[in-house]
């Protein structure tokens, strides 16, 4: 606002041209507000509410809006009051308590016409009481004749309309059914596609996991095989060639490298062993030669004595074996004689068991054949009775059909 005042400063008298219009608008708005509350109000009361205007000026400002019906108001100079509301009605309407809204001109004319219509109807009833009855009877006869004239056509049109409505209803129901079926099929297709996609994704995921698991297992298997080979090499070559190497280094080395490392270590140990053996051989050679010269005669005597003891031990064992063989032969001969004496009793026992079994078998076979004959006889009798019953029913049906045909023929002849 300071910027506006700086560009366009107001001077006394610049707004003087708007004063009259603003006062008129303020007066009209105040009078409309009073009309919502009061039916009538004294002029002095209104002047006290508008202290900046004179009574004559107030009347002049109100006259023009009252002429153009912008404000429904009249001035009663006898009572010095402003009366709000319409002056066109022939009688004053009852109003409810509380604030009321002024009626529009169209509404005032409508109410006046309604009141005029009611008054005219009452006048006609007083002048000619039978006229309304005659008009009603005439209207009734015209309505009846019109109904009789167009009843059949209207009835047919109503039936056609009802049929058309039913057909349209059925059409829309079928349309909705087809639409719902299409939507269900579309949802089902979408669901199946989603299920296929999910199944495919699961299969791919399962395949990927299987491949990864197979790769891990293959890697683990290779590692185990490599470790197994390393262990075998360590068992064959010993652990010394591989001392100072970690498990990862052992697995990263080829089998040829490991074997070469073991062979190199073995050759080195072999060379060291040869050197040690040469030293030991030199140290022991003289001592061994001296021992041989003293021990050879003693060893010969020991060998001869051992030969004699072994010979005596062998002859003793051989005599014991021959004695045991003779005893076993005698026991076998006695056992054979005892078994030969039991042969006749065994044959009689076996024969009695076999004959008993054969007798029981023959009795079972005879009993089975008797039961089989009885069952066959019963089935044969039942089959005969069934055939006889079938033939009897067939004869009865033929007889009944023949009697019905004869009866029908007699009826046709009559």
């Amino acid at each position: 606002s300071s910027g506006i005042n700086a560009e366009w400063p107001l001077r006394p008298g610049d707004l003087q041209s708007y004063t009259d219009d603003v006062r008129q608008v303020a007066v009209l708005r105040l009078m409309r507000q009073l009309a919502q509350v009061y039916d009538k109000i004294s002029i002095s009361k209104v002047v006290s509410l508008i202290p900046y205007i004179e009574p004559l000026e107030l009347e002049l400002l109100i006259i023009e809006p009252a002429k153009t019906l912008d404000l429904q108001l009249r001035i009663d100079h006898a009572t010095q009051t402003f009366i709000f509301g319409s002056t066109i009605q022939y009688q004053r309407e009852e109003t409810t308590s509380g604030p009321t809204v002024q009626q529009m001109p169209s509404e005032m004319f409508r109410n006046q016409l309604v009141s005029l219509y009611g008054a005219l109807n009452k006048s006609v009833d007083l002048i000619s009481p039978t006229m309304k009855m005659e008009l009603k009877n005439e209207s009734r006869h015209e309505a009846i004749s019109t109904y009789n004239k167009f009843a059949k056509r209207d009835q047919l049109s109503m039936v056609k309309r009802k049929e058309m409505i039913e057909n349209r209803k059925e059409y829309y129901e079928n349309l909705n059914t087809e639409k719902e079926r299409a939507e269900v099929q579309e949802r089902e297709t979408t669901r199946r596609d989603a299920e296929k996609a999910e199944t495919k994704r699961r299969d791919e995921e399962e395949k990927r996991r299987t491949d990864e698991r197979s790769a891990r297992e293959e890697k683990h298997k290779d590692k185990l095989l490599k470790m197994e080979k390393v262990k075998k090499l360590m068992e064959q070559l010993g652990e010394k060639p591989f001392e100072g190497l970690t498990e990862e280094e052992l697995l990263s080395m080829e089998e040829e490298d490991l074997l070469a490392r073991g062979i190199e270590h073995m050759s080195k140990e072999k060379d060291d062993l040869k050197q040690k053996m040469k030293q030991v051989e030199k140290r022991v050679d003289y001592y061994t030669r001296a021992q041989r010269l003293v021990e050879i005669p003693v060893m010969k005597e020991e060998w001869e004595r051992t030969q004699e003891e072994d010979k005596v031990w062998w002859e003793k064992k051989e005599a014991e074996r021959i004695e045991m063989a003779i005893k076993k032969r005698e026991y076998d001969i006695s056992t054979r004689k005892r078994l030969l004496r039991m042969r006749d009793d065994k044959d009689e026992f076996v024969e009695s068991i076999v004959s008993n079994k054969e007798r029981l078998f023959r009795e079972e076979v005879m009993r089975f054949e008797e039961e089989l004959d009885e069952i066959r006889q019963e089935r044969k009798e039942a089959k005969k009775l069934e055939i006889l019953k079938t033939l009897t029913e067939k004869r009865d049906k033929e007889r009944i059909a023949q009697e019905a045909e004869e009866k029908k023929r007699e009826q046709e002849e009559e």
Side-chain angles (χ1 to χ4, degrees), residues 170-180:
E170 184 178 0
Y171 169 73
Y172 281 116
E173 287 179 354
N174 293 332
L175 188 64
N176 290 330
T177 304
E178 292 294 332
K179 186 177 180 181
E180 290 176 357

Side-chain angles (χ1 to χ4, degrees), residues 151-331:
K152 193 169 184 179
R153 187 190 66 182
D154 293 342
Q155 187 176 4
L156 291 174
S157 64
M158 288 175 67
V159 172
K160 289 181 179 179
R161 178 177 176 81
K162 186 176 180 181
E163 184 178 358
M164 183 179 67
I165 290 171
E166 292 294 331
N167 293 332
R168 187 174 293 273
K169 184 178 179 182
E170 184 178 0
Y171 169 73
Y172 281 116
E173 287 179 354
N174 293 332
L175 188 64
N176 290 330
T177 304
E178 292 294 332
K179 186 177 180 181
E180 290 176 357
R181 186 182 294 111
E183 290 177 354
V184 170
Q185 291 178 355
E186 185 177 358
R187 287 197 298 270
E188 186 67 21
T189 303
T190 305
R191 185 183 63 77
R192 284 198 298 269
D193 294 340
E195 288 181 354
K196 288 181 180 178
E198 182 66 18
T199 304
K200 185 178 180 182
R201 185 189 66 78
R202 290 179 180 176
D203 293 340
E204 292 177 354
E205 184 70 17
E206 185 66 24
K207 184 179 179 182
R208 183 181 64 80
R209 291 178 180 175
T210 304
D211 294 340
E212 291 178 355
R213 185 169 59 252
S214 300
R216 288 196 302 270
E217 291 176 354
E218 190 68 25
K219 187 175 180 181
H220 183 66
K221 190 183 293 184
D222 294 340
K223 183 178 178 181
L224 292 176
L225 291 174
K226 193 71 173 291
M227 287 300 298
E228 188 69 24
K229 290 180 181 180
V230 171
K231 288 180 180 179
K232 286 182 180 180
L233 286 174
M234 291 176 71
E235 290 176 357
Q236 294 175 0
L237 305 176
E239 297 182 359
K240 287 186 178 180
F242 309 105
E243 288 181 353
L245 296 177
T246 61
E247 185 177 351
E248 288 76 10
E249 291 175 349
L250 289 173
L251 292 175
S252 62
M253 294 177 67
E254 296 293 335
E255 186 177 358
E256 292 79 5
D257 297 336
L258 294 172
L259 188 60
R261 187 181 180 92
I263 293 171
E264 182 181 357
H265 183 75
M266 289 177 65
S267 63
K268 185 176 179 181
E269 285 187 347
K270 186 177 180 181
D271 293 339
D272 294 340
L273 184 61
K274 282 182 179 180
Q275 294 295 330
K276 291 180 180 180
M277 289 297 294
K278 285 182 180 180
Q279 293 177 2
V280 172
E281 185 180 358
K282 288 181 181 179
R283 187 169 59 248
V284 175
D285 182 55
Y286 296 104
Y287 178 74
T288 303
R289 287 181 182 181
Q291 275 188 334
R292 293 295 181 186
L293 293 174
V294 177
E295 289 180 355
I296 285 174
V298 177
M299 291 176 67
K300 284 183 178 180
E301 293 177 0
E302 181 68 22
W303 183 78
E304 291 175 356
R305 185 176 59 79
T306 304
Q307 287 290 325
E308 291 294 333
E309 291 178 355
D310 291 342
K311 184 178 179 181
V312 171
W313 178 84
W314 183 82
E315 290 176 353
K316 182 179 179 182
K317 291 294 182 183
E318 186 68 14
E320 291 177 357
R321 185 183 67 77
I322 292 169
E323 185 179 359
M324 291 296 295
I326 292 170
K327 290 180 179 181
K328 186 175 183 303
R329 173 64 179 169
E330 292 175 354
Y331 177 76

Side-chain angles (χ1 to χ4, degrees), residues 4 16 48 80 86 93 99 113 115 146 157 199 201 208 214 230 237 267 295 336 358 376-377 379 404 408 410 413:
I4 295 173
Q16 188 67 32
S48 65
Q80 291 293 312
S86 175
E93 294 181 352
L113 289 173
S115 300
T146 304
S157 64
T199 304
R201 185 189 66 78
R208 183 181 64 80
S214 300
V230 171
L237 305 176
S267 63
E295 289 180 355
R336 179 176 177 275
E358 289 179 354
R376 284 176 178 173
Q377 191 66 27
R379 290 184 179 178
K408 184 177 180 181
E410 290 176 357
E413 290 176 357

Side-chain angles (χ1 to χ4, degrees), residues 1-42:
S1 61
S2 61
I4 295 173
N5 291 334
E7 294 176 0
W8 182 40
L10 293 175
R11 295 187 299 274
D14 288 344
L15 301 178
Q16 188 67 32
S17 59
Y18 301 102
T19 305
D20 296 337
D21 295 333
V22 171
R23 289 170 66 187
Q24 185 176 2
V25 170
V27 170
L28 289 176
R29 180 167 293 181
L30 177 63
M31 298 306 290
R32 286 194 181 113
Q33 292 174 355
L34 292 173
Q36 304 301 321
V37 181
Y38 300 102
D39 289 335
K40 61 182 179 178
I41 189 172
S42 63

Side-chain angles (χ1 to χ4, degrees), residues 382-392:
K383 191 171 182 180
K384 286 181 180 180
L385 292 174
E386 185 178 358
I387 293 171
L388 182 61
K389 183 179 179 181
T390 305
L391 291 174
T392 304

Side-chain angles (χ1 to χ4, degrees), residues 76-127:
D76 189 354
H77 291 282
T79 58
Q80 291 293 312
T81 57
F82 289 124
I83 300 174
F84 300 102
S86 175
T87 59
I88 302 175
Q89 296 179 355
Y90 72 94
Q91 62 181 4
R92 188 175 181 275
E93 294 181 352
E94 295 294 331
T95 58
T96 59
S97 60
T100 57
V101 181
Q102 290 190 23
Q103 296 180 347
M104 297 294 291
S106 60
E107 190 174 358
M108 289 188 296
F109 281 114
R110 183 179 63 79
N111 292 335
Q112 181 67 26
L113 289 173
V114 170
S115 300
L116 181 62
Y117 174 74
L120 289 175
N121 277 336
K122 290 179 181 179
S123 301
V124 170
D125 291 338
L126 292 173
I127 294 170

